Amino acid sequence: MRKTITWIYQSGDYTASAAARFEKGLTEKYSAVAEPRGFDFRVIGAAELIPSCLGKPVLRHRGEDLLAQRQCFIVGDKSLDPQALAAMRAVYRTIEASDSVLLNRAISGPDYLERDKLSLLQHAAKLGVPTASTIAVPFGRYAHLVLDEVEREIGPGPYIVKPRELTMGIGVLRVDSTQQLVSALDIVAQSGLPYIIQPYLPHTADMRVYVADGEVVTSLSKRPQPGGYISNISLGGTAEATRSTGRWSATAVPPRL
């Protein structure tokens, strides 16, 4: 199979006719350079992409995982829409977490792992840590494109719908059915924020593990109020710290993130 260079741009910033002209011109220009060197070249609008962490980074486009085989990508880093720009970051970081090659380094820096839940889970999955299936919601009017992916990879629910880059339990929804998910996506599409969808996992506590220089120094178990599902202390949850030491073991089974 020939290798492919895929240019991903924010198609939502263009009218349909302008996007078609842009893609045609870009394809003609770069195919002439790529093909003699054994590469195919294509242009894809980011609005139709669904980044996920499904035990590994997945980037779905019309049912196809673009990361199923190692390929080369160029990802734009500009958009007139803040939510669309956040969606571009998710695409960029999903490719970065895979074994494919980014030919541009526009949206980089390790600090994003602190705030970007999808990127954090992709990084953890790459290290062999079990993770919950996590699917990013396309921005704005494209949000409903995620429904088929959610049904296929997560199932009928219930789900947790949460902002990809916020903290403190802000904007987190429990959604019990596909019908409720459709309504939640209508709200998410207007929020201006990037969102992710995960399966709702019944539990007694969330565990946060603190590591310093390879040593597990302590852990914090956070519990929601009775009958609740959000364990953040700022929203009524409680926390209990546990002293714990020891190096990370590759054979140990870590908590699911």
Side-chain angles (χ1 to χ4, degrees), residues 71-86:
Q71 302 290 352
C72 297
F73 293 87
I74 300 170
V75 182
D77 65 341
K78 295 180 177 64
S79 176
L80 302 174
D81 186 318
Q83 194 176 31
L85 179 58

Side-chain angles (χ1 to χ4, degrees), residues 19-20 31 39 50-52 57 68 71 93 100 102 107 120 136 143 157 159 185 191 195 211 217 219 221 243:
S31 291
F39 286 89
I50 301 176
S52 305
Q71 302 290 352
R93 292 165 184 169
S100 285
L102 273 166
I107 311 173
L120 174 61
Y159 314 102
L185 290 174
S191 71
Y195 266 75
V211 180
V217 294
S219 63
S221 295
R243 292 289 300 175

Side-chain angles (χ1 to χ4, degrees), residues 15-153:
T15 63
S17 59
R21 289 194 302 270
F22 175 80
E23 293 183 13
K24 182 175 184 293
L26 207 63
T27 301
E28 291 175 351
K29 177 180 179 180
Y30 285 98
S31 291
V33 178
E35 289 178 359
R37 292 165 174 79
F39 286 89
D40 292 325
F41 181 85
R42 63 181 172 181
V43 183
I44 291 178
E48 295 187 77
L49 296 175
I50 301 176
S52 305
C53 180
L54 304 171
K56 62 178 182 178
V58 172
L59 187 61
R60 200 85 69 183
H61 177 253
R62 299 179 182 178
E64 174 194 0
D65 179 13
L66 300 185
L67 305 179
Q69 292 187 333
R70 194 166 187 254
Q71 302 290 352
C72 297
F73 293 87
I74 300 170
V75 182
D77 65 341
K78 295 180 177 64
S79 176
L80 302 174
D81 186 318
Q83 194 176 31
L85 179 58
M88 291 293 286
R89 292 193 186 105
V91 169
Y92 182 96
R93 292 165 184 169
T94 298
I95 297 170
E96 189 173 43
S98 74
D99 65 349
S100 285
V101 179
L102 273 166
L103 299 179
N104 66 318
R105 307 292 296 179
I107 311 173
S108 60
D111 57 302
Y112 67 78
L113 288 175
E114 180 181 355
R115 64 181 183 273
D116 190 328
K117 300 177 183 69
L118 178 65
S119 295
L120 174 61
L121 289 165
Q122 290 170 337
H123 184 70
K126 190 174 181 179
L127 296 175
V129 180
T131 57
S133 295
T134 303
I135 301 174
V137 178
F139 75 96
R141 64 183 183 275
Y142 302 99
H144 284 194
L145 291 177
V146 81
L147 289 169
D148 289 343
E149 185 79 355
V150 169
E151 182 177 357
R152 178 172 55 249
E153 299 295 344

Side-chain angles (χ1 to χ4, degrees), residues 5-6 14 16 19 34 57 64 76 78 95 121 152 157 175 185 190 195 197 229 250-251 256:
I5 300 173
T6 302
Y14 297 79
E64 174 194 0
K78 295 180 177 64
I95 297 170
L121 289 165
R152 178 172 55 249
V175 177
L185 290 174
Q190 305 303 318
Y195 266 75
I197 301 172
Y229 64 92
T251 59
R256 183 176 293 274

